[in-house]
C-alpha cells in the first residue's frame, strides 16, 4: 500500500511548490501489464495492470530519474496510462512530482498505435503545463510507464 512507502514517495498534491520550476519533464506513457507478461498480452486478455509492477516502476523512476536530477534542475512528471483501475495508485506514487495525469481504458489493441496515442496525450498535457507556467522545459524524457530504471539517469548531460 501507498501508506507504507517512504514519505518522499507519498502523494502530496496540496503541498505548495516552493522550489523553482523544474527544468526537465518526464513523460510516462502506456499500459502496465503483469509482472510475468508483456503489456500487449494484457490488452488482449483484458486483465488489469499489476499494482506490484506499478509500484516497483514508480519507485525506481522516482529514485533514479526524479531524485537523481533534483540538484540539476528538477523533473516534473506527466503521465498517461491505459490503466484507469490503477489511477489512484499511480497518482499517489508519483504525487510529489506529478504535474498532470490521465488514465483511460485501452482504445486499440494495435501496439504501435496505442503507444503513439498515449504519448501524444501526455505530450499535450506537457505543452499545456508549459503554457501555464510560461516556461518551456529544457528536455522531455519519454519512457514507458512500466519501465524499471536500474540506475541514475542524469538529464543535464
Amino acid at each position: 500500500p501507498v501508506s507504507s512507502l517512504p514519505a518522499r514517495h507519498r502523494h502530496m498534491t496540496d503541498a505548495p511548490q516552493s522550489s523553482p520550476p523544474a527544468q526537465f519533464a518526464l513523460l510516462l506513457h502506456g499500459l502496465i501489464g503483469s509482472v510475468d507478461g508483456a503489456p500487449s498480452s494484457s490488452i488482449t486478455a483484458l486483465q488489469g495492470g499489476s499494482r506490484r509492477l506499478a509500484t516497483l516502476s514508480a519507485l525506481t523512476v522516482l529514485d533514479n530519474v526524479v531524485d537523481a536530477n533534483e540538484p540539476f534542475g528538477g523533473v516534473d512528471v506527466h503521465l498517461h496510462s491505459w490503466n484507469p483501475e490503477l489511477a489512484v495508485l499511480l497518482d499517489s506514487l508519483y504525487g510529489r512530482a506529478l504535474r498532470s495525469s490521465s488514465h483511460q481504458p485501452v482504445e486499440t489493441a494495435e501496439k504501435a498505435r496505442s503507444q503513439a496515442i498515449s504519448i501524444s496525450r501526455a505530450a499535450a498535457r506537457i505543452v499545456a503545463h508549459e503554457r501555464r507556467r510560461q516556461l518551456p522545459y529544457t528536455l522531455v524524457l519519454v519512457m514507458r510507464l512500466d519501465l524499471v530504471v536500474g540506475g541514475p539517469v542524469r538529464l543535464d548531460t
Side-chain angles (χ1 to χ4, degrees):
V2 174
S3 60
S4 67
L5 296 174
R8 66 186 178 141
H9 294 307
R10 291 190 204 137
H11 189 53
M12 301 188 307
T13 55
D14 297 332
Q17 270 194 268
S18 57
S19 57
Q23 185 173 342
F24 309 111
L26 175 60
L27 182 158
L28 297 172
H29 67 88
L31 177 72
I32 294 180
S34 68
V35 175
D36 354 340
S40 57
S41 65
S42 298
I43 291 175
T44 55
L46 297 175
Q47 66 189 50
S50 165
R51 294 177 66 82
R52 186 171 59 144
L53 180 57
T55 302
L56 175 63
S57 297
L59 291 175
T60 65
V61 166
L62 288 167
D63 284 342
N64 292 315
V65 180
V66 175
D67 292 346
N69 287 283
E70 195 60 38
F72 310 109
V75 177
D76 286 343
V77 175
H78 301 267
L79 72 86
H80 177 272
S81 84
W82 296 123
N83 296 94
E85 75 282 2
L86 296 177
V88 172
L89 174 65
L90 289 168
D91 288 354
S92 294
L93 290 167
Y94 288 102
R96 67 183 175 81
L98 189 65
R99 298 297 169 261
S100 68
S101 70
S102 176
H103 309 276
Q104 301 171 307
V106 173
E107 295 178 9
T108 178
E110 189 181 334
K111 287 177 10 177
R113 184 167 185 224
S114 176
Q115 193 170 34
I117 292 168
S118 187
I119 292 169
S120 71
R121 291 188 182 162
R125 291 180 163 281
I126 288 174
V127 169
H129 185 75
E130 287 176 319
R131 284 187 184 133
R132 277 192 305 278
R133 74 183 203 153
Q134 299 179 348
L135 181 67
Y137 291 108
T138 303
L139 176 82
V140 177
L141 175 63
V142 178
M143 290 181 5
R144 289 175 50 109
L145 189 53
D146 59 355
L147 183 66
V148 174
V149 182
V153 178
R154 287 209 22 205
L155 301 177
D156 65 323
T157 56

